[in-house]
Amino acid sequence: MTEVVIAGIGQTRVGEFWDLSLRSLGVRAIRAAIKDSGGLQPQALYAGNMLAANLSRQAHVGTLLADFSGLAGIEAEALEAAGASGAAALRQGYLAVASGLVDVALVVGVEKYTDLIGPGVEAALATTTDSDFEAIHGLTPAAQAALLMRRYQHEFGLPADGLAGFVLTAHANGAGNPNAMYRKAITLEAYQKAEMVSDPLNLFDLAPNADGAAALILTRRDRLPRDFPHPVVQVAASASVSDTLGLHNRPEPLWFAAAQASVEQALKKAGLSREQIDLFEYYDAYSIYAALSLEAAGFAARGQGWKLAAEGESGLQGKIPCATMGGLKARGNPGGATGVYQAVEATLQLRGQAGANQIPDARCALIQALGGPASTAVTHVLKRAD
Amino acid sequence: MEIPRHWRLKQQRYGLVGEVCPHCQVKVFPPRDVCPNCGGEARTPYTFSGRGEVYSYTTIYEAPAGFEDKAPYTVALVKLEEGPLVTAQLTDLGDKPVEIGMPVEMVTRRLRQDGDDRSILIYGYKFRPVMN
Ligand SMILES: [Zn+2]
């Protein structure tokens, strides 16, 4: 199959941007990515977005972004897979270029939370659960994570502050990312004192929902400009797997089966073993998801994922560096844009452009975005191609 | 307003009516007409007993729209005695601390209010501690 490379990356800062709209965020990331690619002109746009129809009363996001980027005339569609929307858009762009049907694809993820404030945001997020059998009972995505966290404590003897390691690591890494929402390390004491959102899940166990947009230009290697200024990063594998939508329909809720299967497929397609992975951008929308994702990906045994963070093995100098630019926790969680941010950040690492957070000689990155509690899991392997 | 939708779900909401697979006898909730165990067609209605135990639970402080007046409230995954897990609120808790493994039974209560002041009230299943 055709070798698909990431020719350009772009991202806005993540935060609360009252003065920026859905479209202006998306356009900024798109223009930055096109510029970074040396001016490649895309023939197709795939947008990842989760909630614009709810939050901004705006559907039809693909065409909106193509239009306002000055790209009207090209193919443009949006993909929605809850928190995995951006990763699904990346996969779509990958498939389009790999098939040979599209030479240059633009992938953009965008989420605009702050068009709405208050309980409406939680209600919008709850539409990603089973509306008839979960959301109707007042369940929210944060509450789903809390249910898993409580059960994990019960089954595996997780201490009350056992997940703090994920949060501390993420915030420490966020300090080195100029685009992160939170750029300050936090203390264990602050974690222990944080107020409950959905107990036992506290405010720090939860990544902040925030505005942001990120974009990628994908092409075939032979289409790169002759004077392409960056080390070449290849999309070495892409895998997307679904599970039951409702958490209650799983035989074993504490096992992220779709996350496991998508990692397995991606590693196999890339021809890599876990030992060759230099960094893992996991989906830490909730700290318990970080633990469950590490277990599903095979970096830790069942019930042991939390110990990797507690023992410092998920830090920049650890055995398997995770959330290297702050993760969802400190960079911020821009919903449907998240999967594209992960790809942008992993590309920075593989190009050697990650600044203070650079993993020395990083060559292979595993990135994974989840929709719901791994009701969808989309995993990519990015690889330095030289 | 979503009256037809809530009307359509009344057997599930009021009666905890799911399905039983005629091929492998697995009990299914919510109904999906396709057995998640064997993949066969499963359209035989089955009324669950409404008894089960708490598999996990959480108290929600930041409620979504439609539930603000109830916050904080407790949502659980309840393991029904016939097998499936179901998501539902716990109610009538009094001072009783919730625990994993606690026996509970189904009751019918108001779930939420749909829309603005003149809107419909939606009723459905919740679970309460089993009275001894
Ligand atoms: Zn069956």
Side-chain angles (χ1 to χ4, degrees):
Chain A
M1 202 150 64
T2 313
E3 190 179 348
V4 178
V5 300
I6 296 180
I9 55 175
Q11 61 181 323
T12 70
R13 272 180 51 227
V14 177
E16 296 179 325
F17 303 125
W18 307 100
D19 53 334
L20 292 177
S21 64
L22 176 76
R23 69 188 71 180
S24 49
L25 283 163
V27 169
R28 283 182 188 202
I30 288 169
R31 294 181 66 90
I34 291 174
K35 187 172 173 215
D36 185 66
S37 76
L40 285 175
Q41 286 306 302
Q43 296 144 359
L45 178 156
Y46 304 105
N49 173 264
M50 173 167 66
L51 292 173
N54 282 292
L55 299 173
S56 310
R57 298 187 186 277
Q58 179 66 65
H60 218 161
V61 170
T63 292
L64 172 78
L65 295 178
D67 178 9
F68 280 79
S69 306
L71 297 170
I74 70 169
E75 170 188 348
E77 293 110 16
L79 288 99
E80 187 274 312
S85 299
L90 166 55
R91 178 169 166 75
Q92 199 61 38
Y94 167 80
L95 293 175
V97 175
S99 73
L101 296 177
V102 169
D103 294 330
V104 180
L106 165 60
V107 174
V108 54
V110 61
E111 206 69 55
K112 175 66 192 167
Y113 271 103
T114 54
D115 275 351
L116 197 67
I117 47 170
V121 176
E122 282 302 315
L125 282 164
T127 64
T128 64
T129 70
D130 184 328
S131 183
D132 286 346
F133 294 97
E134 290 184 314
I136 191 64
H137 299 286
L139 189 76
T140 60
Q144 275 181 325
L147 290 168
L148 289 173
M149 185 171 167
R150 170 101 61 201
R151 186 71 197 182
Y152 192 100
Q153 290 177 334
H154 175 79
E155 284 192 25
F156 300 123
L158 175 76
D161 61 359
L163 298 174
F166 293 112
V167 178
L168 269 53
T169 305
H171 278 273
N173 295 348
N177 177 3
N179 291 301
M181 181 168 184
Y182 294 127
R183 302 199 54 201
K184 266 172 105 169
I186 66 153
T187 63
L188 180 60
E189 203 193 1
Y191 176 85
Q192 288 163 334
K193 281 187 179 163
E195 64 179 291
M196 288 296 163
V197 171
S198 187
D199 77 326
L201 188 126
N202 75 32
L203 196 57
F204 278 118
D205 286 311
L206 175 92
N209 298 320
D211 304 338
L216 303 163
I217 298 289
L218 304 181
T219 191
R220 298 193 303 270
R221 191 163 188 169
D222 60 16
R223 290 289 305 246
L224 283 175
R226 210 176 293 276
D227 53 351
F228 186 68
H230 309 293
V232 177
V233 171
Q234 175 199 358
V235 183
S238 170
S240 181
V241 176
S242 60
D243 198 343
T244 66
L245 177 62
L247 184 58
H248 51 219
N249 285 126
R250 311 259 172 95
E252 180 39 276
L254 285 177
W255 180 241
F256 276 0
Q260 187 273 334
S262 69
V263 168
E264 211 60 55
Q265 290 178 21
L267 288 177
K268 192 170 172 214
K269 285 175 193 166
L272 293 171
S273 70
R274 269 169 205 81
E275 292 67 40
Q276 290 170 283
I277 297 298
D278 297 307
L279 61 127
F280 180 26
E281 295 300 336
Y282 54 35
Y283 187 82
D284 58 335
Y286 311 100
S287 52
I288 185 66
Y289 285 14
L292 294 174
S293 298
L294 281 166
E295 293 169 21
F299 292 112
R302 282 205 64 188
Q304 306 292 312
W306 64 280
K307 289 185 181 163
L308 276 176
E311 290 161 4
E313 297 294 358
S314 63
L316 294 178
Q317 275 88 41
K319 227 172 1 193
I320 179 68
C322 296
T324 67
M325 300 305 279
L328 283 67
K329 181 71 202 78
R331 175 237 297 131
N333 179 5
T338 295
V340 185
Y341 272 93
Q342 291 175 316
V344 166
E345 291 162 355
T347 301
L348 288 172
Q349 287 286 4
L350 298 172
R351 285 178 177 180
Q353 297 171 348
N357 291 12
Q358 184 63 47
I359 308 291
D361 197 34
R363 303 197 63 83
C364 299
L366 187 68
I367 60 177
Q368 182 177 66
L370 305 180
S375 304
T376 303
V378 183
T379 304
H380 288 88
V381 175
L382 304 188
K383 200 172 141 189
R384 188 160 163 154
D386 53 29
Chain B
M1 292 286 228
E2 303 172 59
I3 291 170
R5 173 177 171 189
H6 297 302
W7 175 82
R8 199 168 60 234
L9 288 163
K10 64 186 187 305
Q11 283 199 309
Q12 284 71 49
R13 296 263 170 82
Y14 301 149
L16 216 56
V17 178
E19 290 163 336
V20 57
C21 174
H23 314 290
C24 74
Q25 312 315 315
V26 154
K27 316 287 196 306
V28 184
F29 192 88
R32 51 175 68 212
D33 299 351
V34 176
C35 175
N37 185 49
C38 72
E41 193 170 276
R43 292 173 173 276
T44 315
Y46 178 87
T47 303
F48 285 84
S49 69
R51 287 186 297 273
E53 61 173 52
V54 172
Y55 176 86
S56 192
Y57 63 97
T58 180
T59 301
I60 295 175
Y61 296 91
E62 286 189 12
F67 297 88
E68 306 106 300
D69 61 327
K70 293 279 185 201
Y73 55 89
T74 300
V75 174
L77 287 172
V78 172
K79 185 148 183 66
L80 299 173
E81 62 182 7
E82 297 91 344
L85 284 172
V86 58
T87 300
Q89 284 187 27
L90 299 183
T91 188
D92 303 1
L93 288 169
D95 297 332
K96 207 177 162 63
V98 184
E99 283 175 7
I100 288 177
M102 184 173 90
V104 290
E105 62 190 8
M106 179 202 155
V107 290
T108 302
R109 294 282 189 274
R110 176 162 79 88
L111 295 181
R112 58 164 284 181
Q113 196 154 4
D114 191 23
D116 48 31
D117 3 313
R118 298 175 63 196
S119 61
I120 55 166
L121 299 176
I122 301 161
Y123 288 84
Y125 53 84
K126 294 189 182 182
F127 287 78
R128 69 179 177 199
V130 173
M131 311 293 176
N132 292 316

